[in-house]
Every structure is written in C-alpha cells, then in structure tokens.
Amino acid sequence: MTTSDDEAAQWWATSITRIAPGEIDHRGVPVEELIGRTGFVEMIWFMVVGGTPTPSQTRLLEAALVAATDHGPQAPSIAIARMTVTCGVGLNGAVASGVNALGDVHGGAGEQCVVMLDDAIARVADGESWDDAAVAIVDEHRRRSAYVPGFGHRFHPRDPRRDPLLGLVSEAVASGDVPGRHLEAALAFERALDRPGRRPVPMNIDGATAVIYGELGLPAPLARGLFLLSRSVGILAHAWEERQSGVRNKGPLPRTVLPAYRPGPEAG
Ligand SMILES: CC(C)(COP(=O)(O)OP(=O)(O)OC[C@H]1O[C@@H](n2cnc3c(N)ncnc32)[C@H](O)[C@@H]1OP(=O)(O)O)[C@@H](O)C(=O)NCCC(=O)NCCSC(=O)C[C@@](O)(CC(=O)O)C(=O)O
C-alpha cells in the first residue's frame, strides 16, 4: 500500500499554523502582522481558543495566568524543578519535571473543578438551588471519600489569590461580560464545605482559576493546560535561579538531615 502526497499532507492537518518557504501564518494571519501588535495573553487565546479575545476576556485570562505563576519552593512543581536542575540536566528537563508534578492534587484540579461547577450549573438549570446543588455534590464526594477539586490548601487558611481573582470575575459579571454562573456555583461550594469547628476548606488557586476558565467558556481540560502554562514561568524562574547558584546534585533535604529509617516487618 502506498501513501499519496495528499494523504501524507493530511497526517498532521491543522487549523493552527501553515508554513511555506518564507511564510508562517497562525490561524490565517501572517506572523509578521502578529509580531509587535499582539500581546502574549491575546496570543495564547488566539492560538489555543481561536479568535481575538475581548478586553474583558484578556483581563480575566491574564489575571488567572499571573496568579498561578508561582508558589515558592514549597510547591512540589517548583521544588522538583530546582532539584532537577542541580543534577546537570538542561532547563528543558527541569521545566518538564516540574510540569509533570501538576495533576489532580496539585495545580491540575482546575480541570475537575470546571466539570464539577458545570454539574452544579446543570442542576440549577433543572430547578435546584445553588446551595442544594453544592451540598448534594459535596455529599456525593464525601460518600466516595473524595476531595472536592479546587478547594482546600495545605498551607493557606484563605488563599490570597482567591479574592482578587473572584473580584475581577464579579466586575466582569456586573458589566455583563460573563454570565457569573461559575462564580455562583463556586461560592455555593465554599458554603457547603464550611463546617463550623472543622479546619477550613478554602477555595484554592485551582478553584479560583477554574471559575475564570468556566466563565470564559473554556473546556475543562484547558483549566489544567493553562495552569501549567502559567506555572511554567515560575518553574523556569526557579530552575534558572537554582542553576546560577552552581550547587550540584542537591537533594530534597539538607545533607545533615537524614530521613527517618522506619524498619519494615522484614527487618531483623
Ligand atoms: C490541597 C489538599 C491536598 C490539601 O490537603 P491538606 O493536606 O491541607 O488537608 P487534609 O489533611 O488532607 O485534610 C484536612 C481536612 O480537610 C478536609 N479537606 C481538605 N480538602 C478537602 C477537599 N478538597 N474536599 C473536602 N474536604 C477536604 C479533609 O477531609 C480533612 O477533614 P477532616 O478529616 O474532617 O479533618 C486537599 O485539600 C485536596 O486534595 N484538595 C483537592 C485538590 C485540589 O484542589 N488541589 C489543588 C490545591 S492548590 C495547589 O496545588 C496549588 C498550590 O497552591 C500548591 C501548594 O503550593 O501547596 C500552588 O500554587 O503551587
């Protein structure tokens, strides 16, 4: 069986970029027209979503990207990148290692959070109140002993990124730029998770950015994709700083601290 030129050309067929000798178009626009005229956040939207974002959409996306950039070396994604770069690998290895720590528990929960907020919105469209919908979904997570995505933080009783992000969403709702349903849903989840006398389960950065991505109408997997795009900036900054220190082969603890040895049942 032979492959025709046309079949081969369809192999990686794409609506994103066309190249020819001396030509690069992104989504039909020559790159020369984008360079110097398109901001990076608009470019992210243009490439990932398609079309030109409105100023309000750009503002919200930019805020979400800025907010998730970094959380210091205590954040697993950052610590892993710093440790990796001391092992002599290039920045690409360090950035990839940090990004690979982002998932359901750390930095990637926005994806499931958007799905959950959509679920609450669908229940409300079917006649339930916001609070009833949130309580029902939280109860269902508790029955499965599952964590509610986008809520809870190992360090912050209240994530300092929450208020400014939700404030911007509230402003966009007030100006009629976004519907506000994902915001309503997220606030109802906060109320449902608040149990007097128990440790707070605050909305975290994954949850607050999920509100923005939901309000912007982006598909749930992009909440994770855009988080890792943003966090890559922090990861790169930390990996570069660590590399400049010249320290080699740095482990997860100072050398003088030895992890406790816990003898297993096989130990004599
Ligand atoms: C984040 C964490 C593991 C924290 O756990 P913790 O260890 O603090 O809490 P635990 O000891 O497990 O629970 C104590 C009590 O609260 C209850 N409880 C806690 N969370 C609850 C919840 N979601 N739903 C119901 N109940 C909950 C639990 O049931 C228990 O109740 P009880 O048994 O009655 O005492 C946990 O919340 C969680 O998995 N969240 C969902 C996944 C999520 O959204 N991930 C994103 C986190 S943001 C991030 O990754 C970015 C970061 O900010 C990271 C950084 O730097 O850290 C950055 O920028 O890099």
Side-chain angles (χ1 to χ4, degrees):
M1 199 171 87
T2 57
T3 306
S4 70
D5 284 355
D6 192 46
E7 272 178 318
Q10 292 303 319
W11 190 258
W12 293 117
T14 173
S15 309
I16 300 173
T17 294
R18 181 192 71 82
I19 61 161
E23 295 173 26
I24 305 171
D25 293 352
H26 298 304
R27 297 200 181 276
V29 182
V31 73
E32 297 92 322
E33 291 176 22
L34 295 166
I35 296 170
R37 290 191 199 137
T38 305
F40 192 50
V41 175
E42 289 170 300
M43 189 65 183
I44 292 169
W45 183 288
F46 181 67
M47 293 296 280
V48 178
V49 182
T52 305
T54 64
S56 179
Q57 288 170 329
T58 305
R59 188 169 184 233
L60 288 175
L61 177 58
E62 181 156 38
L65 293 171
V66 167
T69 301
D70 185 21
H71 197 241
Q74 264 226 0
S77 48
I78 301 292
I80 288 166
R82 292 191 75 120
M83 194 162 73
T84 303
V85 85
T86 71
C87 299
V89 301
L91 287 174
N92 55 324
V95 172
S97 299
V99 163
N100 276 330
L102 298 170
D104 292 356
V105 177
H106 168 45
E111 179 171 346
Q112 296 97 313
C113 187
V114 172
V115 171
M116 185 182 74
L117 299 177
D118 285 341
D119 184 13
I121 291 167
R123 283 166 173 263
V124 169
D126 284 344
E128 267 182 71
S129 71
W130 288 113
D131 285 325
D132 286 350
V135 167
I137 293 170
V138 167
D139 283 350
E140 188 265 322
H141 278 77
R142 287 207 176 110
R143 277 195 295 279
R144 287 190 285 122
S145 300
Y147 285 82
V148 177
F151 295 83
H153 203 280
R154 68 194 167 94
F155 185 73
H156 300 296
R158 188 174 179 88
D159 193 318
R161 301 163 286 192
R162 174 207 179 276
D163 290 355
L165 289 175
L166 298 195
L168 289 170
V169 177
S170 299
E171 284 176 28
V173 174
S175 6
D177 293 330
V178 294
R181 289 192 297 266
H182 290 82
L183 176 62
E184 286 282 1
L187 295 175
F189 278 106
E190 273 193 329
R191 292 191 292 274
L193 282 162
D194 186 23
R195 293 187 291 174
R198 304 297 278 273
R199 196 174 146 189
V201 184
M203 191 184 311
N204 58 43
I205 181 68
D206 294 29
T209 51
V211 171
I212 290 190
Y213 296 132
E215 292 292 347
L216 290 174
L218 303 183
L222 286 183
R224 181 174 298 198
L226 290 165
F227 189 104
L228 64 88
L229 196 59
S230 155
R231 182 52 60 92
S232 296
V233 175
I235 291 173
L236 174 61
H238 280 274
W240 179 233
E241 182 185 67
E242 188 66 51
R243 177 162 155 181
Q244 286 173 297
S245 76
V247 176
R248 290 160 61 86
N249 209 351
K250 191 168 169 181
L253 289 169
R255 281 180 208 183
T256 48
V257 180
L258 291 177
Y261 171 61
R262 194 166 39 212
E266 72 287 355

